[in-house]
């Protein structure tokens, strides 16, 4: 008896070696039939022994190639057709269009082995790749994913490469970027003036230059990096000065886990993530003392570290470095440079030399950043290696574009049960980033074939993303409140629908009452939210200036806690106050001039940090809060503060917290202890809010979202405490808890609102 089965497989199954894998699998099991690419993925028919067919389908899941993602399999049985053989069917161009493209993946071990083999024809070839590795997303201009639709189109394969490409049994079968010394891209080294460095092995020369303290702009997979020897204090110092990046930590790249262990602690889970084909930057705890320049991550307990992910990185790194600084090739706040000419223009004031290549990058894609906390991988920046893998959602969605927030912008395109979160776009505050934002939307729309019918946007009327959304024609436009989007994003990631108690704790988001929110307790489901509580409001003297200068926040909080008596407090913060300016600020607060009010939790962290003398001004977002967390010591205590109810809302007070900190300061308590008590207090107050809401509303599910939950201590302690009290706690993992996750929430909320309206 023979059987014939047909399967339609959905997922990332094109250009990742899926067809040869199926071909070999079918052959091995003696099955006839075919495999063909389709618009959704692949179609497979197999015919033969029923037991072999069953085994065949099981093996697909267990043995599939590393880059393949199977999202959905639909199977049916048909009358036998008596296939004589199993074949890979050539697909027609139209029928081949697939909406799912693989992310860029790090060079695989097989390719590295060949690259390091003097007998191999690709010995030391910096663009070696195969079906299981190499660039994908960043080189695609359009779909279907075929060589002529990628930036490899300008290189025609030599005879040997072509043979590999066409042979289903070769590990380079349909590897679109396949290339070699004879036919593929090459690197070239230039001085910053644009004069080529010739007559040397350019990669060895680049290594030598790095060793002698020069700064190199190196073209990578998703953009340029600025590189310097991380153990060279002067080189790193120079890079910082030129890049105009005062204190923000710089990313490192080391040749191996062993080398990383010379300067940072690496637990097993972290080692696994570092070595995964996605190769993100992982935040690791510093080992002290260490050989890395103190300029790499000043006043920070962690290093952001990655392993080499392109063949070129491997060639450079294996030259005796402990670590290179590999920071994104941009001037602070601008998008990362991707194009050779653009890089020369923008980076010539920073880099001494340029190591470029002639394979174009179509789409910029920064390095992803993750950390492990509570035994879970937490995405901080979801970009290279992860995008454009869809995030599966429970609800069926209309074709939707969500424009994301203002800071750390990502966009989200959604359709059906897939939500595609874009790579990191950046802060939408200049025209360069706006251009990157529009380009990302256009590109994703094209390669995912999603023409949005719905556009979701933030409520802030002045955001560039909001203006972009409102300018679109012929679509339904739906505004989504920032913190509702945070909570919805957490619900979507965890595939729950609500209602939940959502704690959305962050720096800034536009509230529905026109004030600035940022420490919100919501009861939310996807289509609706109710603001049931928030932090006590505080003045934000000078608006943006108060965000850049946490000392203004500390002053504002002190003023609310002590009135004008604050000037009599014998604490260092008050002694060091610029008196004239401080009085001016109090006048501003009193007369409500340029002083919006905010219920932000992030600002309270800023204020506390400034009060402890940790930081008066910040040079990057979240810096004061990070340093407050880093300062933390061991203590069980907390400050006497409790939730109060005002007009039906649960208010988390800051006045008693500030008073507690001041009284500790007066008694000379160590600031590490104070920081710990501050954190403990928040954990207790957040827990109290949840308990009260459980009593009032019978809700036991809590979703935690917002940038404040990047604070590892706060997240772990709160998750632990709530867990012990019997709450079901939902947190972020693969979607960032910061504003990088907002667009996902916007997409779901907009769809839920429309569903509701149409009922
Ligand atoms: Zn490979
Ligand atoms: Zn070739
Ligand atoms: Fe936010």
């Amino acid at each position: 008896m023979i059987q014939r089965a047909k399967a339609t497989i959905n997922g990332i199954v094109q250009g990742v070696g899926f067809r040869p894998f199926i071909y070999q699998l079918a052959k091995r099991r003696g099955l006839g039939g075919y495999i063909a690419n389709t618009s959704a993925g692949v179609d497979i028919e197999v015919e033969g022994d029923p037991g072999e067919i069953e085994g065949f389908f099981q093996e697909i899941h267990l043995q599939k190639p590393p880059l393949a993602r199977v999202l959905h399999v639909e199977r049916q049985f048909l009358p036998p057709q008596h296939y004589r053989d199993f074949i890979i069917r050539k697909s027609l161009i139209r029928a081949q269009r697939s909406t799912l493209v693989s992310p860029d993946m790090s060079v695989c071990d097989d390719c590295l082995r060949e690259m390091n083999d003097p007998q191999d024809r690709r010995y030391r070839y910096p663009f070696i790749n195969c079906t299981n590795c190499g660039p994908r997303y960043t080189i695609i201009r359009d779909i279907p994913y075929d060589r002529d639709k990628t930036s490899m189109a300008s290189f025609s394969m030599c005879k040997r490469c072509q043979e590999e490409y066409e042979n289903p049994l070769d590990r380079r079968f349909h590897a679109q970027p396949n290339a070699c010394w004879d036919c593929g891209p090459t690197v070239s080294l230039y001085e910053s003036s644009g004069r080529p460095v010739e007559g040397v092995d350019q990669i060895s020369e680049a290594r030598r230059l790095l060793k002698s303290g020069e700064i190199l702009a190196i073209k990578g997979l998703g953009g340029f990096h600025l590189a310097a020897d991380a153990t060279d204090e002067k080189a790193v110092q120079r890079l910082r000065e030129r890049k105009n990046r005062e204190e923000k930590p710089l990313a490192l790249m080391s040749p191996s886990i062993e080398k990383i262990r010379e300067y940072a602690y690496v637990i097993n889970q972290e080692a696994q993530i570092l070595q995964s084909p996605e190769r993100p930057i992982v935040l690791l705890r510093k080992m002290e003392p260490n050989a890395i320049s103190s300029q790499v991550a000043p006043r920070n307990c962690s290093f952001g570290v990655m392993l080499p992910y392109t063949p070129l990185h491997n060639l450079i790194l294996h030259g005796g470095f402990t670590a290179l600084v590999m920071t994104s090739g941009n001037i602070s706040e601008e998008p990362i440079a991707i194009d050779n000419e653009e890089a020369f223009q923008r980076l010539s004031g920073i880099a001494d030399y340029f190591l470029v290549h002639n394979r174009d990058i179509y789409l910029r894609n920064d390095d992803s950043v993750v950390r492990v906390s509570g035994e879970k991988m937490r995405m901080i920046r979801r970009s290279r290696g992860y995008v454009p893998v869809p995030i599966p959602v429970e609800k069926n969605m209309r074709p939707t574009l969500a424009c994301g927030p203002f800071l750390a912008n990502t966009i989200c395109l959604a359709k059906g049960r897939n939500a595609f979160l874009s790579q990191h776009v950046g802060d939408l505050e200049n025209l360069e980033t706006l251009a990157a934002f529009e380009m990302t939307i256009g590109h994703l729309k094209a390669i995912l074939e999603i023409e949005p019918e719905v556009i979701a946007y933030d409520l802030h009327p002045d955001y560039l993303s909001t203006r972009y959304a409102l300018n679109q024609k012929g679509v339904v436009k739906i505004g989504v409140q920032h913190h509702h989007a945070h909570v919805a994003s957490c619900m979507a990631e965890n595939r729950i629908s609500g209602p939940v108690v959502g704690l959305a704790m962050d720096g800034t988001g536009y509230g529905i009452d026109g004030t600035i929110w940022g420490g919100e307790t919501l009861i939310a489901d996807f289509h609706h939210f109710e603001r049931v509580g928030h932090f006590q409001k505080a003045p934000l003297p000078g608006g943006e200036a108060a965000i850049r200068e946490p000392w203004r926040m500390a002053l504002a909080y002190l003023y609310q806690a002590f009135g004008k008596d604050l000037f009599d407090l014998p604490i260092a913060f008050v002694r060091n106050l610029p008196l004239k300016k401080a009085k001016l600020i109090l006048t501003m607060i009193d007369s409500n001039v340029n002083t919006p009010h905010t219920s932000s939790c992030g600002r309270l962290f800023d204020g506390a940090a400034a009060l402890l003398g940790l930081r008066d001004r910040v040079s990057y977002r979240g810096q004061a809060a990070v340093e407050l967390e880093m300062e933390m010591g061991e203590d069980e205590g907390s400050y006497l503060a409790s939730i109060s109810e005002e007009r039906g809302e649960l208010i988390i007070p800051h006045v008693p917290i500030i008073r507690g900190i001041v009284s500790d300061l007066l008694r000379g308590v160590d600031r590490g202890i104070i920081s710990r008590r501050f954190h403990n207090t928040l954990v207790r107050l957040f827990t109290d809010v949840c308990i009260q809401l459980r009593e009032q509303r019978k809700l036991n599910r809590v979703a935690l979202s917002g940038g404040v939950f990047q604070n590892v201590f706060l997240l772990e302690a709160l998750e632990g405490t709530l867990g012990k009290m019997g709450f079901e706690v939902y947190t972020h993992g693969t979607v960032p808890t910061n504003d990088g996750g907002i667009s996902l929430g916007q997409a779901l909320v907009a769809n839920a609102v429309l569903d509701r309206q149409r009922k």
Side-chain angles (χ1 to χ4, degrees):
M1 208 221 29
I2 64 163
Q3 225 177 33
R4 172 178 165 224
K6 178 174 179 166
T8 305
I9 299 185
N10 244 285
I12 301 178
V13 286
Q14 294 185 12
V16 292
F18 198 71
R19 285 178 299 165
F21 158 73
I22 292 293
Y23 174 82
Q24 289 174 28
L25 193 58
K27 285 279 190 192
R28 192 149 31 86
R29 290 186 172 271
L31 301 171
Y34 69 88
I35 175 167
N37 280 349
T38 67
S39 62
V42 293
D43 273 357
I44 299 173
E45 277 195 29
V46 277
E47 189 175 71
D49 178 74
E52 292 294 340
I53 291 182
E54 207 39 55
F56 169 87
F57 283 110
Q58 277 169 15
E59 251 185 279
I60 292 182
H61 287 284
L62 297 172
Q63 308 286 338
K64 65 179 172 359
L67 300 196
R69 310 268 168 142
V70 173
L71 294 174
H72 190 70
V73 184
E74 219 175 77
R75 235 206 284 181
Q76 66 188 107
F77 287 96
L78 302 166
Q81 174 86 292
H82 302 290
Y83 287 114
R84 265 191 242 130
D85 204 356
F86 192 91
I87 56 163
I88 296 177
R89 249 190 212 171
K90 280 230 154 66
S91 24
L92 301 168
I93 294 291
R94 264 320 293 181
Q96 211 181 14
R97 293 177 85 85
S98 166
T99 52
L100 295 179
V101 169
S102 166
D104 304 297
M105 288 295 177
S106 82
V107 56
C108 74
D109 291 343
D110 291 334
C111 286
L112 278 184
R113 213 172 298 121
E114 287 178 6
M115 188 181 79
N116 292 319
D117 176 3
Q119 305 307 317
D120 195 274
R121 71 186 192 93
R122 290 190 180 84
Y123 178 54
R124 292 176 58 79
Y125 183 55
F127 302 93
I128 188 170
N129 67 82
C130 71
T131 310
N132 294 334
C133 76
R136 296 286 186 277
Y137 179 60
T138 51
I139 60 165
I140 292 173
R141 203 157 23 91
D142 196 3
I143 52 164
Y145 172 56
D146 266 333
R147 186 162 174 124
D148 62 343
K149 298 286 171 50
T150 72
S151 60
M152 288 300 292
S154 53
F155 301 95
S156 47
M157 276 184 268
C158 69
K159 199 164 154 281
R160 290 168 85 180
C161 285
Q162 188 72 36
E163 277 166 14
E164 295 166 339
Y165 180 86
E166 283 169 6
N167 178 4
L169 300 178
D170 194 278
R171 60 183 209 87
R172 295 199 165 86
F173 175 64
H174 280 206
Q176 304 301 348
N178 189 25
C180 75
W181 282 114
D182 294 335
C183 65
T186 50
V187 297
S188 9
L189 183 66
Y190 294 90
E191 293 175 4
S192 65
S193 63
R195 187 144 50 111
V197 180
E198 280 162 344
V200 285
D201 175 282
Q202 307 202 308
I203 293 173
S204 309
E205 179 64 8
R207 246 177 359 217
R208 193 191 65 76
L209 290 166
L210 284 164
K211 281 249 173 68
S212 59
E214 306 285 358
I215 296 169
L216 264 69
I218 300 176
K219 188 172 179 180
L221 207 48
F224 273 79
H225 281 116
L226 288 160
D229 183 346
T231 59
D232 185 333
E233 192 75 26
K234 277 197 196 124
V236 181
Q237 174 76 43
R238 228 154 23 95
L239 174 54
R240 257 200 198 284
E241 279 164 12
R242 291 187 190 169
K243 207 189 165 193
N244 194 8
R245 180 165 172 152
E246 288 161 44
E247 276 154 331
K248 199 169 181 180
L250 302 168
L252 298 177
M253 183 182 276
S254 278
S256 63
I257 298 271
E258 293 69 48
K259 282 284 176 199
I260 298 173
R261 289 205 159 113
E262 289 177 14
Y263 60 84
Y265 297 94
V266 188
I267 61 168
N268 279 346
Q269 197 181 359
E270 290 163 341
Q272 265 169 30
I273 298 169
L274 281 163
Q275 290 167 305
S276 68
E278 289 87 357
R279 289 282 200 282
I281 294 172
V282 182
L283 301 190
L284 302 171
R285 196 156 59 86
K286 274 183 190 175
M287 193 179 280
E288 300 281 5
N290 61 65
I292 304 296
S293 155
S294 60
Q295 297 294 314
V296 168
R299 301 175 78 166
N300 202 306
C301 301
S302 313
F303 284 126
V305 190
M306 61 188 147
L307 289 174
Y309 53 87
T310 67
L312 181 59
H313 292 153
N314 278 280
L315 290 168
I316 297 170
L317 262 289
H318 289 280
F321 294 104
T322 301
L324 289 181
V325 165
M326 286 288 263
T327 180
S328 41
N330 56 6
I331 302 168
S332 291
E333 316 310 328
E334 284 183 12
I336 184 169
I338 54 174
D339 174 279
N340 293 354
E341 221 161 284
E342 176 199 4
F344 274 109
Q345 265 174 29
R346 283 168 52 194
L347 304 178
S348 58
I350 307 178
D352 302 308
Y353 290 88
F354 287 74
L355 188 64
V356 306
H357 59 70
N358 54 350
R359 184 180 69 202
D360 287 343
I361 300 170
Y362 279 131
L363 210 58
R364 53 173 50 79
N365 206 350
D366 290 80
D367 294 318
S368 295
V369 183
V370 310
R371 89 152 27 117
V372 172
S373 81
E375 288 170 19
K376 197 165 155 185
M377 180 171 104
R378 314 276 181 179
M379 200 65 77
I380 295 170
R381 185 165 72 198
R382 186 179 180 276
S383 268
R384 177 188 48 77
Y386 300 97
V387 175
V389 176
I391 291 155
V393 292
E394 292 279 277
K395 273 175 43 74
N396 212 19
M397 293 199 281
R398 297 170 178 78
T400 305
L401 165 67
C403 296
F406 167 58
L407 296 172
N409 179 278
T410 64
I411 61 120
C412 179
L413 272 172
K415 188 177 168 183
R417 299 221 166 153
N418 286 332
F420 299 88
L421 208 51
S422 77
Q423 70 272 37
H424 172 76
V425 174
D427 299 350
L428 282 179
E429 56 188 0
N430 52 48
L431 292 176
E432 288 82 6
T433 318
L434 180 66
F437 166 82
E438 292 185 359
M439 171 163 176
T440 304
I441 293 175
H443 193 91
L444 274 173
K445 269 164 62 173
I447 66 165
L448 299 171
E449 290 196 301
I450 297 178
E451 193 44 57
E453 293 164 15
V454 183
I455 291 193
Y457 60 93
D458 191 89
L459 294 178
H460 199 299
D462 298 331
Y463 283 1
L464 294 176
S465 51
T466 304
R467 288 199 206 148
Y468 169 91
L470 295 178
N471 280 332
Q472 304 306 305
K473 306 252 153 37
V475 288
V476 184
K477 300 164 197 171
I478 294 178
V480 180
Q481 200 278 325
H482 184 99
H483 301 92
H484 185 202
H486 266 305
V487 175
S489 163
C490 183
M491 284 162 45
E493 179 183 351
N494 289 287
R495 310 186 78 164
I496 57 167
S497 53
V500 296
V501 172
L503 294 182
M505 300 293 158
D506 66 358
T508 303
Y510 194 81
I512 47 173
D513 56 2
T515 70
I516 301 168
W517 293 8
E520 310 306 309
T521 309
L522 312 179
I523 287 179
D525 48 28
F526 283 124
H527 78 274
H528 167 261
F529 76 92
E530 184 187 346
R531 188 195 199 200
V532 290
H534 54 84
F535 265 89
Q536 178 187 2
K537 297 236 156 153
L540 200 59
E544 275 295 310
I547 299 174
R548 285 191 304 272
E549 301 175 14
W551 73 272
R552 288 176 183 246
M553 286 317 300
L555 179 65
Y557 285 121
L558 278 180
Y559 191 38
Q560 284 202 314
F562 297 96
K564 291 239 159 80
D565 291 346
L566 79 92
F567 291 108
D568 302 328
L569 294 170
I571 55 174
F573 176 82
V574 172
R575 269 199 305 279
N576 298 334
L577 271 178
L579 213 53
K580 243 183 169 165
K581 208 164 171 190
K583 291 207 159 131
L584 193 74
I585 285 175
L586 296 192
T587 314
M588 269 168 72
I589 294 175
D590 286 339
S591 49
N592 256 322
V593 175
N594 190 15
T595 300
H597 280 70
T598 184
S599 52
S600 169
C601 178
R603 294 293 87 76
L604 185 58
F605 271 86
D606 288 354
L611 203 49
L612 297 192
L614 286 169
R615 183 147 295 280
D616 288 341
R617 272 158 231 278
V618 291
S619 64
Y620 65 92
R621 193 165 59 251
Q623 185 180 18
V626 166
E627 291 180 4
L628 186 64
E629 182 188 1
M630 300 288 167
E631 191 68 24
M632 193 168 11
E634 291 291 331
D635 192 72
E636 297 288 308
S638 67
Y639 297 117
L640 272 177
S642 54
I643 307 295
S644 62
E645 206 168 325
E646 276 172 35
R647 279 175 257 115
E649 293 180 323
L650 298 175
I651 306 297
I652 305 173
H654 56 70
V655 163
I657 300 178
I658 296 295
R659 287 208 174 122
I661 293 176
V662 168
S663 97
D664 270 354
L665 283 172
L666 290 172
R667 287 185 294 129
V669 176
D670 177 75
R671 65 185 181 191
I673 305 288
I674 298 178
S675 164
R676 179 58 175 267
R677 290 178 180 166
F678 173 80
H679 282 82
N680 289 345
T681 309
L682 293 188
V683 172
R684 192 169 48 73
L685 291 172
F686 292 165
T687 307
D688 286 350
V689 167
C690 295
I691 292 172
Q692 292 203 26
L693 287 170
R694 176 155 71 183
E695 279 164 17
Q696 288 175 17
R697 307 286 189 107
K698 307 279 172 272
L699 286 174
N700 201 43
R701 291 172 151 190
V702 180
L704 306 178
S705 190
V708 167
F709 291 112
Q710 286 179 160
N711 184 307
V712 175
F713 174 84
L714 189 69
L715 179 67
E716 289 184 5
L718 185 59
E719 213 181 343
T721 310
L722 289 172
K724 264 187 231 136
M725 313 275 313
F727 287 96
E728 285 171 56
V729 189
Y730 297 93
T731 61
H732 284 279
T734 55
V735 174
T737 192
N738 58 45
D739 286 4
I742 287 269
S743 56
L744 174 66
Q746 290 177 339
L748 275 113
V749 170
N751 272 277
V753 168
L754 277 176
D755 285 348
R756 204 32 84 108
Q757 283 174 4
R758 306 228 162 130
K759 259 182 203 154

